[in-house]
């Protein structure tokens, strides 16, 4: 495949001068086709690179650990896989010692074993990047966003949302201190990274019962209603398809038809992670998912259909331009729809929620649940690729790779390792996307964009009027059945990657810059609650300043933790 790509490039694209191509769309196609990626390596180097990638991915996918109750076990017959065994422990246990054990065991079984492979991967990846006229692979990855000083743009976005994260972190730390008073001292400013209900601390939704602002106020989970109304997988997909069609968008029916897999097969093992597939003929689009009848999967179906809608809307374009406007757009589309679907207003409209008391307290509860997924994720969405950019660029020596990982975890997530970490460890490798060579900053970008898209569609639907003091808050908006919102969305999706993403953003939001302001506007009522709960009466005293001070001291702190 590498040889074919190189030969085609040399024969058809190598000597083309983009500046002499007058047609904008053709020039853009040539721009994409002139990038060889890792195929720029020789056949032998390409083979070596893929060998190291396969080795790391095999290590990750086959890693097992012994249970806490039997730490000397037969791994083959008694060992726990990441999903569901290890994940079940990390998401449900409140035993600090058990959580520490399972966290360490997973990191030992996965990341620690792939450091040598990763070193060779970095060397070969950087060589490929230089063959593509980039300084290193991190610069090549950033180049896909077609923005000068992309890291500066990301830093600015983070500064916009950081105060909200800091307030959520402080509130969560205080609550966790009541659960683990002996393990988290009163003077602690960081949360141990293994007690947030997720192996990487990237989502805190499993702590909702501990963190719920108003336990006696209404909350909502439509799992019971779905099951009571005898929903099956197909009916859940039909409801999601109805949402898109209600906005005047294209039918997604083919994606859950006979060729799709929307239930777990009984006759074979499959990867159940939900995914959407474009078979590139302009007609065949499918979802692969082992659907469970619950609210999470109801939301996920709407999200995956966002990919399907995007595929269909840009199917008329030349193949090279059938992609998201930038790497964050595809994930953002489905999440935008999910924000509308997950409102009590919408769930009541489709008869999945009744007897819900819409009060200030219940709204703050709903926002907390959303923030534990969306806001809690933001710093992790940043730091995975920030670490890799620094590694690729040689800004951190190989002898300090693991230390640098925890420096970034401390600076952005305000998390500390549960136990001492050294350079014998390789904790980045314990996250799937690192051994899988899968870029991660797109998830951060998507989280920013989805709130921009949502706000714009809510305004277009007449559901939100930011200049009207009597308008309902942004987070209550549901643009179901709004043809105007659908037309605005379709106008952006149909462009694919045929124009610079700023032009697509203009079509969808009437602006050309990514901004975190829509996200913070969405969570304003929760932010007010957090400030009061944390004892910070005004935004200027919101706990942000002392947390920033901790961030600046993080490298010194980590020197004590990592040797």
């Amino acid at each position: 495949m590498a040889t074919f790509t190189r030969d085609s490039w040399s024969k058809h694209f190598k000597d083309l001068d983009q500046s002499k191509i007058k047609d904008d769309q053709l020039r853009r196609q040539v721009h994409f086709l002139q990038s060889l990626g890792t195929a720029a390596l020789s056949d032998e180097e390409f083979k070596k690179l893929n060998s190291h990638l396969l080795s790391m991915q095999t290590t990750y996918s086959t890693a097992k650990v012994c249970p806490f109750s039997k730490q000397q076990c037969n791994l083959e017959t008694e060992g726990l896989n990441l999903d569901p065994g290890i994940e079940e422990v990390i998401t449900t246990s409140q035993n600090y010692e058990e959580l520490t054990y399972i966290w360490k065991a997973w990191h030992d079984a996965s990341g620690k074993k792939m450091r040598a492979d990763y070193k060779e991967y970095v060397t070969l990846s950087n060589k490929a990047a230089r063959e593509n006229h980039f300084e290193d692979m991190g610069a090549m990855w950033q180049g896909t966003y077609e923005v000068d000083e992309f890291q500066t743009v990301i830093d600015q976005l983070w500064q916009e949302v950081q105060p909200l994260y800091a307030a959520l972190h402080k509130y969560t730390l205080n609550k966790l201190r009541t659960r683990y008073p002996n393990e988290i001292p009163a003077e602690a400013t960081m949360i141990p990274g293994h007690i947030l209900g997720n192996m990487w601390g990237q989502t805190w939704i499993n702590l909702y019962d501990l963190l719920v602002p108003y336990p006696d106020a209404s909350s909502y989970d439509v799992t019971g209603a779905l099951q009571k109304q005898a929903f099956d997988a197909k009916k859940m997909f039909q409801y999601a398809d109805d949402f898109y069609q209600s906005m005047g968008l294209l039918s997604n029916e083919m994606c859950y038809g006979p060729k799709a897999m929307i239930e777990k097969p009984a006759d074979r093992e499959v990867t159940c992670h939900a995914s959407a597939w474009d078979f590139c003929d302009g007609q065949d689009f499918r979802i692969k998912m082992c659907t469970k009848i619950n609210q999470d999967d109801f939301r996920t179906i709407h999200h995956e259909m966002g990919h399907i809608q995007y595929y269909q809307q840009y199917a008329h374009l030349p193949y090279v331009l059938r992609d998201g406007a930038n790497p964050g757009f595809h994930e953002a589309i489905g999440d935008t729809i999910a924000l509308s679907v997950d409102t009590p207003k919408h769930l009541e409209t489709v008869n999945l929620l009744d007897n819900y008391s819409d009060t200030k307290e219940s709204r703050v509860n709903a926002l907390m649940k959303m923030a534990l997924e969306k806001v809690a994720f933001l710093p992790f969405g940043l730091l995975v690729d920030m670490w890799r950019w620094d590694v690729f660029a040689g800004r951190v020596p190989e002898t300090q790779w693991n230390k640098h990982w925890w420096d970034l975890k401390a600076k952005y997530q305000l998390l500390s390792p549960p136990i001492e970490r050294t350079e014998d460890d390789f904790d980045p490798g314990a996250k799937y996307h690192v051994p899988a060579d899968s870029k991660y900053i797109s998830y951060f970008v998507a989280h920013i964009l989805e709130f921009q898209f949502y706000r714009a569609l809510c305004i277009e639907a007449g559901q939100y009027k930011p200049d009207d003091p009597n308008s309902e808050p942004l987070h209550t908006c549901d643009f179901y059945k709004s043809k105007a919102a659908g037309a605005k969305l379709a106008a952006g999706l149909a462009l694919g990657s045929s124009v610079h993403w700023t032009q697509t953003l203009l079509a969808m939001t009437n602006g050309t810059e990514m901004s975190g302001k829509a996200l913070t506007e969405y969570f304003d009522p929760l932010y007010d609650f957090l400030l009061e709960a944390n004892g910070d009466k005004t935004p200027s005293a919101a706990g942000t300043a002392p947390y920033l001070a901790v961030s600046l001291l993080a490298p010194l702190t980590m020197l004590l933790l990592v040797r």
Side-chain angles (χ1 to χ4, degrees), residues 149-360:
E149 302 297 330
F150 177 64
Q151 191 159 347
T152 300
V153 173
I154 294 300
D155 288 339
Q156 291 170 346
L157 292 173
W158 171 243
Q159 291 306 314
E160 289 181 319
V161 300
Q162 190 274 345
L164 174 59
Y165 176 80
L168 180 65
H169 176 278
K170 185 176 181 180
Y171 175 81
T172 303
L173 174 61
N174 289 335
K175 289 289 187 177
L176 283 168
R177 190 179 281 117
T178 65
R179 176 175 285 179
Y180 303 107
N182 297 324
E183 289 79 15
I184 305 178
E187 67 275 12
T189 56
M190 294 198 191
I191 298 174
H194 64 313
I195 58 172
L196 289 159
N198 176 268
M199 183 64 75
W200 309 277
Q202 69 183 65
T203 173
W204 305 349
I205 191 61
N206 291 305
L207 296 182
Y208 178 72
D209 288 347
L210 174 68
L211 303 178
V212 57
Y214 300 104
D216 296 329
S218 288
S219 187
Y220 66 95
D221 184 334
V222 300
T223 297
L226 291 167
Q227 295 172 354
K228 183 178 180 180
Q229 295 180 34
F231 271 68
D232 58 12
K234 186 174 182 179
K235 189 173 180 180
M236 290 174 70
F237 274 83
Q238 288 171 334
Y239 264 57
D241 192 16
D242 171 68
F243 191 103
Y244 286 86
Q245 291 194 55
S246 81
M247 297 174 68
L249 297 168
L250 301 172
S251 169
N252 295 309
E253 187 175 3
M254 86 297 292
C255 79
Y256 55 96
K259 294 181 179 180
M261 189 197 85
I262 62 172
E263 295 181 282
K264 186 174 183 178
D267 60 344
R268 65 188 188 279
E269 291 296 320
V270 297
T271 299
C272 280
H273 185 77
S275 54
W277 297 76
D278 181 354
F279 285 81
C280 304
D281 63 356
Q283 299 177 332
D284 192 355
F285 312 96
R286 308 177 206 170
I287 286 177
K288 182 168 74 71
M289 182 175 174
C290 303
T291 308
K292 300 182 181 69
I293 311 303
N294 59 41
Q295 181 168 333
D296 284 344
D297 277 18
F298 187 69
R299 182 192 308 117
T300 297
I301 291 167
H302 286 79
H303 169 89
E304 294 301 330
M305 278 195 185
H307 294 295
I308 299 296
Q309 189 67 210
Y310 212 160
Y311 295 151
Q312 292 189 85
Q313 292 285 354
Y314 61 53
H316 63 284
L317 293 171
Y319 176 74
V320 177
L321 303 179
R322 296 183 200 173
D323 203 352
N326 77 29
F329 269 65
H330 243 297
E331 288 298 321
I333 299 305
D335 281 344
T336 300
I337 300 298
L339 286 175
S340 185
V341 170
D342 226 19
T343 59
K345 182 186 295 185
H346 178 73
L347 297 173
E348 286 181 316
T349 299
V350 296
N351 299 315
L352 288 174
L353 187 67
D354 55 22
N355 299 320
Y356 179 78
S357 179
D358 185 15
T359 64
K360 175 185 175 181

Side-chain angles (χ1 to χ4, degrees), residues 31-32 134 137-147 150 327 389:
H31 167 72
F32 290 128
F134 288 92
M137 185 54 79
M140 186 169 169
W141 284 4
Q142 293 176 52
T144 61
Y145 287 87
E146 304 179 86
V147 174
F150 177 64
W389 295 341

Side-chain angles (χ1 to χ4, degrees), residues 1-2 4-10 12-16 18 27-41 128-134 136-137 139-146 320 439:
M1 184 63 181
F4 172 80
T5 303
R6 275 197 311 275
D7 289 347
S8 298
W9 170 81
S10 179
H12 300 292
F13 310 114
K14 178 182 178 182
D15 298 321
L16 288 177
Q18 294 181 36
R27 184 171 59 252
R28 195 156 176 82
Q29 291 180 71
V30 171
H31 167 72
F32 290 128
L33 289 166
Q34 284 188 324
S35 177
L36 275 172
T38 55
L41 296 170
R130 288 190 291 271
E131 292 292 335
N132 285 277
H133 308 294
F134 288 92
D136 57 73
M137 185 54 79
M140 186 169 169
W141 284 4
Q142 293 176 52
T144 61
Y145 287 87
E146 304 179 86
V320 177
K439 305 174 191 69

